[in-house]
Amino acid sequence: MKPDTFKDKLVPVTTILLALVAIWYVAAVLMNAPFQRDMDSRAGVTPTTLEFIGKTLAQPKPILPAPHQVAQNVYENTVLRSLSSNRSLVYHSWVTLSSTLLGFGFGMLLGILLAVLIVHNRAMDRSLMPWLVASQTIPILAIAPMIVIISYNVLTGDNALAHLLNLDSDASRLVSKALISTYLSFFPVAVGMVKGLRSPEIMHLDLMRTYYASPMQTFWKLRVPASIPFLFTSMKVAIAASLVGAIVGELPTGAVAGIGSKLLAGSYYSQTIDIWAALVAGSLLAGILVAIVGVAAKIVDRAMGGRPA
């Protein structure tokens, strides 16, 4: 069976994309029609059907903006804006990306550490794993304000941790938001690594024993290489979750920069086009991050001797 070519993958994806855009346009017309009908009635005009549809797709504050309105907003706030402008989506994406990457780094370290403890210690397996699962049942929107406010006050207060880290207010605010990303990203990493570290078959473990390999040698030469594919798969989930955590972490703090702040400002002033543009920016950022993890996975796989699929 021949592997799928780029054309084989592009055609189905493009077809679905065009179908979604068509549905989006129809929904925009239907949802914006009542307001436009009311406006026309007040003005005493009777537009033709095409004129009416055109007006529903060109409202300044529509209930559902049309795709071309969102695309125009994204273009104006990325290409035509200075990168340092507080209206630039690139600037806001960078602010969110910084806390995303920091939280993802914390989540990776925490998830891998927990996985190693769970795999090598039965007591930790029985006591820790249920709490890890339970931690993900708590709604993040409910605890995000508490985590951000408490951690910020701890990091900027008069205590041993604050004196040890010696962070300024901006860095403390960044770490506080990153903790939400850490909370969402450590779990998939921990679960994936636990499955990966336990993936070697009994026969392979017995073979290592016949070589008189120490537990440390078995860990580094057998368990860790076997866990790499599981780790990268979980990293794809974790990096996307980390981005969501960074955006959620910006909402309760009244942040003035970041994709979360754009969403909040858009909701305050009913700027639905800005809201959708921020959503598109967040989606593109998530896609880029997942793609980078995928490329890194292929590079590591080939470096370990894997064959291209």
Side-chain angles (χ1 to χ4, degrees):
M1 183 178 177
K2 293 183 179 179
D4 290 341
T5 63
F6 180 73
K7 182 180 177 181
D8 295 333
K9 296 178 181 177
L10 182 63
V11 171
V13 173
T14 306
T15 303
I16 295 297
L17 179 62
L18 292 176
L20 290 175
V21 170
I23 294 172
W24 189 348
Y25 268 112
V26 173
V29 172
L30 294 177
M31 296 188 71
N32 299 331
F35 178 75
Q36 189 59 49
R37 198 174 293 118
D38 182 60
M39 291 290 291
D40 291 340
S41 175
R42 291 170 183 267
V45 297
T46 308
T48 64
T49 302
L50 287 179
E51 289 175 342
F52 181 78
I53 292 174
K55 288 181 178 180
T56 60
L57 299 178
Q59 294 176 357
K61 291 185 178 181
I63 295 177
L64 179 61
H68 68 272
Q69 290 179 296
V70 177
Q72 183 180 1
N73 187 291
V74 171
Y75 177 76
E76 290 176 351
N77 290 315
T78 52
V79 179
L80 303 183
R81 299 282 182 197
S82 169
L83 295 181
S84 59
S85 170
N86 60 3
R87 298 193 64 183
S88 170
L89 284 173
V90 177
Y91 167 74
H92 288 286
S93 298
W94 167 249
V95 172
T96 302
L97 179 64
S98 58
S99 54
T100 298
L101 295 179
L102 183 61
F104 178 68
F106 289 159
M108 283 283 297
L109 293 175
L110 180 61
I112 292 173
L113 176 63
L114 291 174
V116 172
L117 291 175
I118 289 171
V119 169
H120 289 88
N121 190 308
R122 183 169 297 180
M124 295 293 288
D125 183 17
R126 292 178 177 175
S127 61
L128 205 56
M129 202 62 188
W131 285 107
L132 295 184
V133 175
S135 70
Q136 300 303 303
T137 63
I138 302 173
I140 186 62
L141 282 174
I143 63 170
M146 291 183 286
I147 292 177
V148 172
I149 293 172
I150 291 174
S151 58
Y152 179 76
N153 281 282
V154 169
L155 292 173
T156 56
D158 186 13
N159 55 71
L161 181 61
H163 290 304
L164 176 65
L165 298 177
N166 194 25
L167 300 176
D168 58 22
S169 59
D170 290 338
S172 300
R173 194 171 290 109
L174 174 66
V175 173
S176 301
K177 290 188 296 182
L179 290 179
I180 306 298
S181 298
T182 303
Y183 176 80
L184 290 182
S185 61
F186 86 92
F187 182 74
V189 174
V191 172
M193 277 299 287
V194 167
K195 190 172 183 180
L197 292 173
R198 286 175 173 168
S199 62
E201 298 178 2
I202 298 296
M203 183 177 64
H204 295 151
L205 293 171
D206 290 341
L207 185 62
M208 294 298 289
R209 292 191 189 96
T210 62
Y211 292 155
Y212 296 103
S214 65
M216 190 63 73
Q217 289 174 319
T218 302
F219 176 76
W220 287 109
K221 295 182 182 296
L222 180 60
R223 291 190 185 275
V224 170
S227 68
I228 295 300
F230 296 89
L231 175 62
F232 277 104
T233 302
S234 61
M235 282 173 62
K236 291 180 181 178
V237 179
I239 191 70
S242 184
L243 177 63
V244 173
I247 294 174
V248 171
E250 291 167 351
L251 296 178
T253 58
V256 296
I259 293 176
S261 73
K262 286 285 289 182
L263 295 173
L264 206 57
S267 65
Y268 283 156
Y269 301 106
S270 301
Q271 296 289 347
T272 51
I273 300 176
D274 284 350
I275 293 175
W276 279 84
L279 286 174
V280 170
S283 302
L284 291 175
L285 187 59
I288 292 171
L289 291 174
V290 172
I292 291 173
V293 173
V295 171
K298 288 184 179 179
I299 293 173
V300 172
D301 185 51
R302 291 185 181 180
M304 294 176 64
R307 296 179 179 178

